[in-house]
Amino acid sequence: MEMEDHMESQKRRGISQDQLISERTGALGCCGWFLVILSGIFTVLLFPFTIWFCLKIVQEYERAVIFRLGRITDRKAKGPGIFFVLPCTDSFVKVDLRTVSFDIPPQEILTKDSVTVSVDGVVYFRVSDPIATVANVTNADFSTRLLAQTTLRNVLGTKNLAELLSDREGIAHSMQTNLDDATDHWGIKVERVEIKDVKLPHQLQRAMAAEAEATREARAKVIAAEGEMNASRALKEASLVISESPSGLQLRYLQTLNTIAAEKNSTIIFPLPIDVMSHFLKK
């Protein structure tokens, strides 16, 4: 459902963009056509010399938006390669189609849970519509940079600190969607947004470190207590097994003595059963 709505909005934008371009590429008027014809005659008469002013070249990664008497001549930008312009009446603007990246300066942001953090990022974008980039915005690159800063503040202002630290990919995707929608009218396509670094205040860092350490200590104590409980259960089961056979206890004594002797100790403690001692005390 969301995909269909997005496609419908893109179609509406495309229709409105075509209408806007068609208005800009309207008729030149009688005076305009007279100047164009005069320029053409001047070009033909001085052909060997004017050819150097009429032929222009743009690179593979560039496009040229041609203005004739201040109006855009075509709905599609020219290039790459050679194209023809009339001297005196035509002018053109080159637009670079390569992907551009820039760093978002560190922004002091107050999160949803009232924590002040410093966040910076990087944005990758390119020109998707050269005509809209030239005709709809004065400086598309600078405007995109400013919009990225405000978008970063607006998006992170709705997140708490835990979401900011754990869901960077979701935040970056949300920023990319918002930037792409806002710059579509400028002919800009935002390809990728990444959150680079999140800087916390030093006091908050110490508090979080103390909290993490306390959590680890509590978990260690719980694990140790569970180990003691399991050991006591095992000892209880072992005592029940040994109590069923009196000779088993003697074998356990001998095994313990063998273990102590293997450690090369100078002092050996040999336990005696209480039953044996009580027999001698009675005598």
Side-chain angles (χ1 to χ4, degrees), residues 208-258:
M208 294 178 65
E211 180 182 1
E213 184 178 0
T215 303
R216 288 193 297 268
E217 290 180 356
R219 192 177 303 169
K221 291 181 180 179
V222 171
I223 294 174
E226 291 178 354
E228 292 290 340
M229 182 177 62
N230 295 332
S232 62
R233 289 178 179 174
L235 289 175
K236 178 183 178 182
E237 294 177 359
S239 63
L240 294 176
V241 172
I242 292 175
S243 62
E244 294 177 357
S245 176
S247 61
L249 183 61
Q250 297 296 330
L251 292 175
R252 180 58 181 165
Y253 289 156
L254 294 175
Q255 184 181 6
T256 303
L257 182 62
N258 186 25

mmCIF file of all heavy atoms in Angstrom, residues 208-258:
data_model
loop_
_atom_site.group_PDB
_atom_site.id
_atom_site.type_symbol
_atom_site.label_atom_id
_atom_site.label_comp_id
_atom_site.label_asym_id
_atom_site.label_seq_id
_atom_site.Cartn_x
_atom_site.Cartn_y
_atom_site.Cartn_z
ATOM 1 N N MET A 208 26.940 5.619 32.335
ATOM 2 C CA MET A 208 26.608 4.403 31.587
ATOM 3 C C MET A 208 27.629 3.304 31.841
ATOM 4 O O MET A 208 27.271 2.117 31.928
ATOM 5 C CB MET A 208 26.524 4.729 30.090
ATOM 6 C CG MET A 208 25.381 5.663 29.711
ATOM 7 S SD MET A 208 25.352 6.062 27.953
ATOM 8 C CE MET A 208 25.003 4.461 27.258
ATOM 9 N N ALA A 209 28.919 3.668 31.973
ATOM 10 C CA ALA A 209 29.934 2.661 32.278
ATOM 11 C C ALA A 209 29.712 2.055 33.662
ATOM 12 O O ALA A 209 29.848 0.835 33.849
ATOM 13 C CB ALA A 209 31.324 3.294 32.187
ATOM 14 N N ALA A 210 29.370 2.908 34.654
ATOM 15 C CA ALA A 210 29.091 2.393 36.002
ATOM 16 C C ALA A 210 27.867 1.485 35.997
ATOM 17 O O ALA A 210 27.850 0.436 36.669
ATOM 18 C CB ALA A 210 28.896 3.557 36.967
ATOM 19 N N GLU A 211 26.847 1.873 35.246
ATOM 20 C CA GLU A 211 25.650 1.036 35.164
ATOM 21 C C GLU A 211 25.953 -0.303 34.521
ATOM 22 O O GLU A 211 25.492 -1.358 34.990
ATOM 23 C CB GLU A 211 24.579 1.774 34.359
ATOM 24 C CG GLU A 211 23.272 1.001 34.215
ATOM 25 C CD GLU A 211 22.259 1.732 33.375
ATOM 26 O OE1 GLU A 211 22.575 2.844 32.891
ATOM 27 O OE2 GLU A 211 21.148 1.208 33.195
ATOM 28 N N ALA A 212 26.744 -0.295 33.444
ATOM 29 C CA ALA A 212 27.103 -1.553 32.783
ATOM 30 C C ALA A 212 27.935 -2.439 33.701
ATOM 31 O O ALA A 212 27.754 -3.667 33.741
ATOM 32 C CB ALA A 212 27.855 -1.254 31.485
ATOM 33 N N GLU A 213 28.872 -1.834 34.454
ATOM 34 C CA GLU A 213 29.692 -2.617 35.371
ATOM 35 C C GLU A 213 28.851 -3.232 36.482
ATOM 36 O O GLU A 213 29.040 -4.401 36.845
ATOM 37 C CB GLU A 213 30.777 -1.715 35.966
ATOM 38 C CG GLU A 213 31.747 -2.457 36.873
ATOM 39 C CD GLU A 213 32.840 -1.549 37.400
ATOM 40 O OE1 GLU A 213 32.829 -0.352 37.062
ATOM 41 O OE2 GLU A 213 33.699 -2.044 38.152
ATOM 42 N N ALA A 214 27.907 -2.452 37.026
ATOM 43 C CA ALA A 214 27.029 -2.993 38.066
ATOM 44 C C ALA A 214 26.169 -4.129 37.525
ATOM 45 O O ALA A 214 25.945 -5.146 38.208
ATOM 46 C CB ALA A 214 26.147 -1.874 38.630
ATOM 47 N N THR A 215 25.714 -3.987 36.286
ATOM 48 C CA THR A 215 24.914 -5.056 35.683
ATOM 49 C C THR A 215 25.722 -6.324 35.512
ATOM 50 O O THR A 215 25.242 -7.442 35.773
ATOM 51 C CB THR A 215 24.367 -4.581 34.323
ATOM 52 O OG1 THR A 215 23.604 -3.386 34.504
ATOM 53 C CG2 THR A 215 23.485 -5.640 33.693
ATOM 54 N N ARG A 216 26.990 -6.180 35.062
ATOM 55 C CA ARG A 216 27.843 -7.356 34.900
ATOM 56 C C ARG A 216 28.138 -8.019 36.243
ATOM 57 O O ARG A 216 28.157 -9.251 36.349
ATOM 58 C CB ARG A 216 29.144 -6.949 34.210
ATOM 59 C CG ARG A 216 28.982 -6.613 32.732
ATOM 60 C CD ARG A 216 30.331 -6.532 32.041
ATOM 61 N NE ARG A 216 31.144 -5.460 32.598
ATOM 62 C CZ ARG A 216 31.169 -4.216 32.129
ATOM 63 N NH1 ARG A 216 30.403 -3.895 31.097
ATOM 64 N NH2 ARG A 216 31.941 -3.301 32.664
ATOM 65 N N GLU A 217 28.395 -7.227 37.301
ATOM 66 C CA GLU A 217 28.654 -7.805 38.619
ATOM 67 C C GLU A 217 27.436 -8.545 39.147
ATOM 68 O O GLU A 217 27.566 -9.636 39.724
ATOM 69 C CB GLU A 217 29.063 -6.699 39.580
ATOM 70 C CG GLU A 217 30.440 -6.097 39.297
ATOM 71 C CD GLU A 217 30.790 -5.006 40.279
ATOM 72 O OE1 GLU A 217 29.930 -4.674 41.119
ATOM 73 O OE2 GLU A 217 31.923 -4.482 40.214
ATOM 74 N N ALA A 218 26.266 -7.960 38.966
ATOM 75 C CA ALA A 218 25.046 -8.635 39.427
ATOM 76 C C ALA A 218 24.841 -9.947 38.673
ATOM 77 O O ALA A 218 24.466 -10.975 39.263
ATOM 78 C CB ALA A 218 23.844 -7.714 39.236
ATOM 79 N N ARG A 219 25.120 -9.937 37.366
ATOM 80 C CA ARG A 219 24.969 -11.157 36.587
ATOM 81 C C ARG A 219 25.985 -12.212 37.021
ATOM 82 O O ARG A 219 25.671 -13.412 37.083
ATOM 83 C CB ARG A 219 25.164 -10.817 35.102
ATOM 84 C CG ARG A 219 24.760 -11.944 34.156
ATOM 85 C CD ARG A 219 24.933 -11.468 32.719
ATOM 86 N NE ARG A 219 24.150 -10.259 32.500
ATOM 87 C CZ ARG A 219 24.274 -9.499 31.413
ATOM 88 N NH1 ARG A 219 25.187 -9.800 30.491
ATOM 89 N NH2 ARG A 219 23.514 -8.433 31.267
ATOM 90 N N ALA A 220 27.213 -11.783 37.353
ATOM 91 C CA ALA A 220 28.231 -12.736 37.820
ATOM 92 C C ALA A 220 27.824 -13.367 39.151
ATOM 93 O O ALA A 220 28.034 -14.568 39.371
ATOM 94 C CB ALA A 220 29.581 -12.017 37.946
ATOM 95 N N LYS A 221 27.251 -12.562 40.051
ATOM 96 C CA LYS A 221 26.806 -13.105 41.329
ATOM 97 C C LYS A 221 25.683 -14.109 41.142
ATOM 98 O O LYS A 221 25.640 -15.152 41.827
ATOM 99 C CB LYS A 221 26.360 -11.969 42.250
ATOM 100 C CG LYS A 221 27.500 -11.073 42.724
ATOM 101 C CD LYS A 221 27.006 -9.979 43.642
ATOM 102 C CE LYS A 221 28.153 -9.092 44.116
ATOM 103 N NZ LYS A 221 27.675 -7.994 45.001
ATOM 104 N N VAL A 222 24.779 -13.823 40.229
ATOM 105 C CA VAL A 222 23.684 -14.760 39.970
ATOM 106 C C VAL A 222 24.221 -16.067 39.413
ATOM 107 O O VAL A 222 23.799 -17.169 39.807
ATOM 108 C CB VAL A 222 22.662 -14.124 39.007
ATOM 109 C CG1 VAL A 222 21.636 -15.160 38.545
ATOM 110 C CG2 VAL A 222 21.959 -12.954 39.674
ATOM 111 N N ILE A 223 25.193 -15.979 38.494
ATOM 112 C CA ILE A 223 25.779 -17.194 37.916
ATOM 113 C C ILE A 223 26.525 -17.997 38.972
ATOM 114 O O ILE A 223 26.448 -19.236 39.016
ATOM 115 C CB ILE A 223 26.716 -16.809 36.752
ATOM 116 C CG1 ILE A 223 25.901 -16.196 35.610
ATOM 117 C CG2 ILE A 223 27.495 -18.018 36.263
ATOM 118 C CD1 ILE A 223 26.748 -15.645 34.475
ATOM 119 N N ALA A 224 27.262 -17.287 39.858
ATOM 120 C CA ALA A 224 27.974 -17.976 40.927
ATOM 121 C C ALA A 224 27.006 -18.675 41.878
ATOM 122 O O ALA A 224 27.239 -19.811 42.322
ATOM 123 C CB ALA A 224 28.865 -16.985 41.687
ATOM 124 N N ALA A 225 25.895 -18.011 42.203
ATOM 125 C CA ALA A 225 24.903 -18.624 43.087
ATOM 126 C C ALA A 225 24.273 -19.851 42.438
ATOM 127 O O ALA A 225 24.054 -20.878 43.105
ATOM 128 C CB ALA A 225 23.830 -17.587 43.438
ATOM 129 N N GLU A 226 23.998 -19.762 41.138
ATOM 130 C CA GLU A 226 23.444 -20.926 40.443
ATOM 131 C C GLU A 226 24.452 -22.074 40.423
ATOM 132 O O GLU A 226 24.074 -23.246 40.570
ATOM 133 C CB GLU A 226 23.056 -20.532 39.011
ATOM 134 C CG GLU A 226 21.866 -19.579 38.937
ATOM 135 C CD GLU A 226 21.548 -19.185 37.505
ATOM 136 O OE1 GLU A 226 22.332 -19.564 36.595
ATOM 137 O OE2 GLU A 226 20.525 -18.514 37.291
ATOM 138 N N GLY A 227 25.752 -21.753 40.288
ATOM 139 C CA GLY A 227 26.777 -22.790 40.328
ATOM 140 C C GLY A 227 26.859 -23.466 41.687
ATOM 141 O O GLY A 227 27.004 -24.702 41.777
ATOM 142 N N GLU A 228 26.779 -22.673 42.759
ATOM 143 C CA GLU A 228 26.786 -23.249 44.110
ATOM 144 C C GLU A 228 25.579 -24.146 44.326
ATOM 145 O O GLU A 228 25.685 -25.227 44.938
ATOM 146 C CB GLU A 228 26.795 -22.118 45.140
ATOM 147 C CG GLU A 228 28.075 -21.303 45.167
ATOM 148 C CD GLU A 228 29.242 -22.107 45.728
ATOM 149 O OE1 GLU A 228 28.980 -23.116 46.425
ATOM 150 O OE2 GLU A 228 30.398 -21.742 45.458
ATOM 151 N N MET A 229 24.429 -23.714 43.827
ATOM 152 C CA MET A 229 23.226 -24.526 43.990
ATOM 153 C C MET A 229 23.351 -25.849 43.248
ATOM 154 O O MET A 229 23.001 -26.923 43.786
ATOM 155 C CB MET A 229 22.017 -23.743 43.490
ATOM 156 C CG MET A 229 20.683 -24.474 43.646
ATOM 157 S SD MET A 229 19.288 -23.457 43.129
ATOM 158 C CE MET A 229 19.679 -23.217 41.393
ATOM 159 N N ASN A 230 23.865 -25.807 42.028
ATOM 160 C CA ASN A 230 24.039 -27.044 41.269
ATOM 161 C C ASN A 230 25.079 -27.952 41.919
ATOM 162 O O ASN A 230 24.926 -29.185 41.944
ATOM 163 C CB ASN A 230 24.460 -26.713 39.834
ATOM 164 C CG ASN A 230 23.374 -25.977 39.069
ATOM 165 O OD1 ASN A 230 22.183 -26.140 39.352
ATOM 166 N ND2 ASN A 230 23.773 -25.174 38.090
ATOM 167 N N ALA A 231 26.163 -27.341 42.484
ATOM 168 C CA ALA A 231 27.190 -28.142 43.152
ATOM 169 C C ALA A 231 26.632 -28.814 44.399
ATOM 170 O O ALA A 231 26.940 -29.991 44.685
ATOM 171 C CB ALA A 231 28.387 -27.258 43.506
ATOM 172 N N SER A 232 25.827 -28.089 45.163
ATOM 173 C CA SER A 232 25.241 -28.685 46.373
ATOM 174 C C SER A 232 24.300 -29.830 46.028
ATOM 175 O O SER A 232 24.259 -30.849 46.727
ATOM 176 C CB SER A 232 24.503 -27.601 47.168
ATOM 177 O OG SER A 232 23.441 -27.060 46.390
ATOM 178 N N ARG A 233 23.569 -29.687 44.922
ATOM 179 C CA ARG A 233 22.686 -30.781 44.498
ATOM 180 C C ARG A 233 23.508 -32.002 44.095
ATOM 181 O O ARG A 233 23.162 -33.142 44.429
ATOM 182 C CB ARG A 233 21.822 -30.326 43.334
ATOM 183 C CG ARG A 233 20.750 -29.310 43.721
ATOM 184 C CD ARG A 233 19.967 -28.862 42.496
ATOM 185 N NE ARG A 233 18.930 -27.905 42.865
ATOM 186 C CZ ARG A 233 18.155 -27.259 41.969
ATOM 187 N NH1 ARG A 233 18.319 -27.502 40.662
ATOM 188 N NH2 ARG A 233 17.237 -26.411 42.381
ATOM 189 N N ALA A 234 24.623 -31.763 43.399
ATOM 190 C CA ALA A 234 25.468 -32.883 43.003
ATOM 191 C C ALA A 234 26.092 -33.565 44.218
ATOM 192 O O ALA A 234 26.203 -34.807 44.276
ATOM 193 C CB ALA A 234 26.562 -32.392 42.047
ATOM 194 N N LEU A 235 26.520 -32.751 45.209
ATOM 195 C CA LEU A 235 27.077 -33.340 46.431
ATOM 196 C C LEU A 235 26.035 -34.152 47.191
ATOM 197 O O LEU A 235 26.341 -35.211 47.763
ATOM 198 C CB LEU A 235 27.641 -32.226 47.324
ATOM 199 C CG LEU A 235 28.925 -31.556 46.831
ATOM 200 C CD1 LEU A 235 29.292 -30.387 47.747
ATOM 201 C CD2 LEU A 235 30.068 -32.573 46.786
ATOM 202 N N LYS A 236 24.818 -33.662 47.182
ATOM 203 C CA LYS A 236 23.755 -34.403 47.858
ATOM 204 C C LYS A 236 23.528 -35.745 47.189
ATOM 205 O O LYS A 236 23.411 -36.789 47.870
ATOM 206 C CB LYS A 236 22.473 -33.578 47.854
ATOM 207 C CG LYS A 236 21.295 -34.288 48.494
ATOM 208 C CD LYS A 236 20.027 -33.441 48.390
ATOM 209 C CE LYS A 236 18.842 -34.176 48.990
ATOM 210 N NZ LYS A 236 17.587 -33.396 48.851
ATOM 211 N N GLU A 237 23.497 -35.760 45.870
ATOM 212 C CA GLU A 237 23.308 -37.021 45.151
ATOM 213 C C GLU A 237 24.490 -37.960 45.382
ATOM 214 O O GLU A 237 24.315 -39.176 45.533
ATOM 215 C CB GLU A 237 23.127 -36.731 43.663
ATOM 216 C CG GLU A 237 21.847 -35.969 43.338
ATOM 217 C CD GLU A 237 21.744 -35.632 41.854
ATOM 218 O OE1 GLU A 237 22.689 -35.979 41.099
ATOM 219 O OE2 GLU A 237 20.730 -35.033 41.446
ATOM 220 N N ALA A 238 25.710 -37.392 45.428
ATOM 221 C CA ALA A 238 26.887 -38.231 45.669
ATOM 222 C C ALA A 238 26.870 -38.841 47.068
ATOM 223 O O ALA A 238 27.240 -40.009 47.269
ATOM 224 C CB ALA A 238 28.152 -37.400 45.466
ATOM 225 N N SER A 239 26.439 -38.054 48.055
ATOM 226 C CA SER A 239 26.379 -38.584 49.423
ATOM 227 C C SER A 239 25.355 -39.697 49.539
ATOM 228 O O SER A 239 25.570 -40.684 50.269
ATOM 229 C CB SER A 239 26.042 -37.448 50.391
ATOM 230 O OG SER A 239 24.747 -36.914 50.094
ATOM 231 N N LEU A 240 24.267 -39.565 48.801
ATOM 232 C CA LEU A 240 23.266 -40.639 48.825
ATOM 233 C C LEU A 240 23.814 -41.915 48.209
ATOM 234 O O LEU A 240 23.554 -43.024 48.718
ATOM 235 C CB LEU A 240 22.002 -40.178 48.084
ATOM 236 C CG LEU A 240 21.213 -39.033 48.726
ATOM 237 C CD1 LEU A 240 20.038 -38.627 47.838
ATOM 238 C CD2 LEU A 240 20.706 -39.448 50.102
ATOM 239 N N VAL A 241 24.591 -41.778 47.151
ATOM 240 C CA VAL A 241 25.159 -42.957 46.512
ATOM 241 C C VAL A 241 26.196 -43.617 47.419
ATOM 242 O O VAL A 241 26.250 -44.843 47.565
ATOM 243 C CB VAL A 241 25.780 -42.574 45.150
ATOM 244 C CG1 VAL A 241 26.546 -43.768 44.556
ATOM 245 C CG2 VAL A 241 24.699 -42.103 44.190
ATOM 246 N N ILE A 242 27.046 -42.782 48.069
ATOM 247 C CA ILE A 242 28.094 -43.335 48.937
ATOM 248 C C ILE A 242 27.492 -43.981 50.184
ATOM 249 O O ILE A 242 28.003 -44.980 50.705
ATOM 250 C CB ILE A 242 29.086 -42.220 49.315
ATOM 251 C CG1 ILE A 242 29.882 -41.792 48.070
ATOM 252 C CG2 ILE A 242 30.050 -42.687 50.401
ATOM 253 C CD1 ILE A 242 30.818 -40.610 48.316
ATOM 254 N N SER A 243 26.410 -43.408 50.699
ATOM 255 C CA SER A 243 25.809 -43.958 51.927
ATOM 256 C C SER A 243 25.231 -45.339 51.712
ATOM 257 O O SER A 243 25.048 -46.101 52.668
ATOM 258 C CB SER A 243 24.705 -43.007 52.423
ATOM 259 O OG SER A 243 23.673 -42.911 51.446
ATOM 260 N N GLU A 244 24.955 -45.699 50.461
ATOM 261 C CA GLU A 244 24.413 -47.029 50.193
ATOM 262 C C GLU A 244 25.479 -48.117 50.325
ATOM 263 O O GLU A 244 25.155 -49.294 50.523
ATOM 264 C CB GLU A 244 23.803 -47.048 48.786
ATOM 265 C CG GLU A 244 22.589 -46.147 48.647
ATOM 266 C CD GLU A 244 22.048 -46.140 47.223
ATOM 267 O OE1 GLU A 244 22.672 -46.811 46.353
ATOM 268 O OE2 GLU A 244 21.021 -45.489 46.977
ATOM 269 N N SER A 245 26.769 -47.746 50.218
ATOM 270 C CA SER A 245 27.852 -48.740 50.310
ATOM 271 C C SER A 245 28.922 -48.215 51.259
ATOM 272 O O SER A 245 29.576 -47.210 50.946
ATOM 273 C CB SER A 245 28.435 -49.003 48.920
ATOM 274 O OG SER A 245 29.533 -49.871 49.005
ATOM 275 N N PRO A 246 29.136 -48.821 52.446
ATOM 276 C CA PRO A 246 30.169 -48.352 53.383
ATOM 277 C C PRO A 246 31.566 -48.420 52.784
ATOM 278 O O PRO A 246 32.411 -47.578 53.057
ATOM 279 C CB PRO A 246 30.017 -49.292 54.579
ATOM 280 C CG PRO A 246 28.610 -49.800 54.474
ATOM 281 C CD PRO A 246 28.320 -49.912 53.022
ATOM 282 N N SER A 247 31.847 -49.427 51.925
ATOM 283 C CA SER A 247 33.178 -49.512 51.319
ATOM 284 C C SER A 247 33.417 -48.401 50.306
ATOM 285 O O SER A 247 34.556 -48.061 50.012
ATOM 286 C CB SER A 247 33.342 -50.875 50.636
ATOM 287 O OG SER A 247 32.362 -51.038 49.608
ATOM 288 N N GLY A 248 32.385 -47.859 49.766
ATOM 289 C CA GLY A 248 32.533 -46.760 48.804
ATOM 290 C C GLY A 248 33.155 -45.545 49.452
ATOM 291 O O GLY A 248 33.924 -44.816 48.831
ATOM 292 N N LEU A 249 32.845 -45.321 50.739
ATOM 293 C CA LEU A 249 33.428 -44.192 51.453
ATOM 294 C C LEU A 249 34.926 -44.384 51.631
ATOM 295 O O LEU A 249 35.709 -43.432 51.485
ATOM 296 C CB LEU A 249 32.728 -44.030 52.807
ATOM 297 C CG LEU A 249 33.184 -42.841 53.651
ATOM 298 C CD1 LEU A 249 32.923 -41.524 52.905
ATOM 299 C CD2 LEU A 249 32.444 -42.850 54.992
ATOM 300 N N GLN A 250 35.351 -45.642 51.946
ATOM 301 C CA GLN A 250 36.771 -45.922 52.099
ATOM 302 C C GLN A 250 37.511 -45.727 50.782
ATOM 303 O O GLN A 250 38.627 -45.172 50.739
ATOM 304 C CB GLN A 250 36.960 -47.355 52.597
ATOM 305 C CG GLN A 250 36.364 -47.621 53.966
ATOM 306 C CD GLN A 250 37.048 -46.800 55.059
ATOM 307 O OE1 GLN A 250 38.236 -46.478 54.945
ATOM 308 N NE2 GLN A 250 36.306 -46.448 56.091
ATOM 309 N N LEU A 251 36.896 -46.158 49.689
ATOM 310 C CA LEU A 251 37.518 -45.949 48.381
ATOM 311 C C LEU A 251 37.650 -44.458 48.067
ATOM 312 O O LEU A 251 38.644 -44.016 47.472
ATOM 313 C CB LEU A 251 36.695 -46.643 47.294
ATOM 314 C CG LEU A 251 36.691 -48.179 47.332
ATOM 315 C CD1 LEU A 251 35.746 -48.737 46.279
ATOM 316 C CD2 LEU A 251 38.100 -48.721 47.124
ATOM 317 N N ARG A 252 36.685 -43.684 48.488
ATOM 318 C CA ARG A 252 36.752 -42.233 48.254
ATOM 319 C C ARG A 252 37.885 -41.626 49.060
ATOM 320 O O ARG A 252 38.572 -40.723 48.589
ATOM 321 C CB ARG A 252 35.411 -41.593 48.653
ATOM 322 C CG ARG A 252 35.367 -40.091 48.442
ATOM 323 C CD ARG A 252 35.635 -39.742 46.991
ATOM 324 N NE ARG A 252 35.627 -38.301 46.785
ATOM 325 C CZ ARG A 252 36.089 -37.690 45.722
ATOM 326 N NH1 ARG A 252 36.641 -38.414 44.735
ATOM 327 N NH2 ARG A 252 36.044 -36.389 45.620
ATOM 328 N N TYR A 253 38.110 -42.119 50.312
ATOM 329 C CA TYR A 253 39.236 -41.654 51.128
ATOM 330 C C TYR A 253 40.570 -41.946 50.444
ATOM 331 O O TYR A 253 41.458 -41.097 50.365
ATOM 332 C CB TYR A 253 39.203 -42.312 52.497
ATOM 333 C CG TYR A 253 38.082 -41.836 53.402
ATOM 334 C CD1 TYR A 253 37.614 -42.638 54.449
ATOM 335 C CD2 TYR A 253 37.503 -40.584 53.201
ATOM 336 C CE1 TYR A 253 36.594 -42.204 55.277
ATOM 337 C CE2 TYR A 253 36.481 -40.156 54.020
ATOM 338 C CZ TYR A 253 36.015 -40.956 55.051
ATOM 339 O OH TYR A 253 34.999 -40.516 55.853
ATOM 340 N N LEU A 254 40.692 -43.181 49.945
ATOM 341 C CA LEU A 254 41.938 -43.550 49.272
ATOM 342 C C LEU A 254 42.166 -42.725 48.009
ATOM 343 O O LEU A 254 43.293 -42.342 47.690
ATOM 344 C CB LEU A 254 41.921 -45.045 48.938
ATOM 345 C CG LEU A 254 41.926 -46.000 50.142
ATOM 346 C CD1 LEU A 254 41.789 -47.448 49.679
ATOM 347 C CD2 LEU A 254 43.185 -45.804 50.973
ATOM 348 N N GLN A 255 41.099 -42.444 47.271
ATOM 349 C CA GLN A 255 41.230 -41.630 46.068
ATOM 350 C C GLN A 255 41.668 -40.208 46.407
ATOM 351 O O GLN A 255 42.504 -39.621 45.724
ATOM 352 C CB GLN A 255 39.893 -41.614 45.318
ATOM 353 C CG GLN A 255 39.957 -40.859 43.996
ATOM 354 C CD GLN A 255 38.623 -40.849 43.286
ATOM 355 O OE1 GLN A 255 37.627 -41.317 43.845
ATOM 356 N NE2 GLN A 255 38.606 -40.336 42.066
ATOM 357 N N THR A 256 41.128 -39.663 47.484
ATOM 358 C CA THR A 256 41.529 -38.320 47.915
ATOM 359 C C THR A 256 42.984 -38.295 48.332
ATOM 360 O O THR A 256 43.732 -37.351 48.022
ATOM 361 C CB THR A 256 40.640 -37.857 49.075
ATOM 362 O OG1 THR A 256 39.269 -37.908 48.668
ATOM 363 C CG2 THR A 256 40.991 -36.437 49.501
ATOM 364 N N LEU A 257 43.437 -39.339 49.081
ATOM 365 C CA LEU A 257 44.827 -39.429 49.485
ATOM 366 C C LEU A 257 45.766 -39.531 48.288
ATOM 367 O O LEU A 257 46.834 -38.916 48.249
ATOM 368 C CB LEU A 257 45.007 -40.642 50.400
ATOM 369 C CG LEU A 257 46.419 -40.854 50.967
ATOM 370 C CD1 LEU A 257 46.834 -39.664 51.834
ATOM 371 C CD2 LEU A 257 46.459 -42.146 51.785
ATOM 372 N N ASN A 258 45.357 -40.285 47.264
ATOM 373 C CA ASN A 258 46.159 -40.401 46.040
ATOM 374 C C ASN A 258 46.270 -39.059 45.322
ATOM 375 O O ASN A 258 47.328 -38.695 44.790
ATOM 376 C CB ASN A 258 45.529 -41.456 45.127
ATOM 377 C CG ASN A 258 46.391 -41.732 43.902
ATOM 378 O OD1 ASN A 258 47.600 -41.524 43.932
ATOM 379 N ND2 ASN A 258 45.765 -42.235 42.847
#
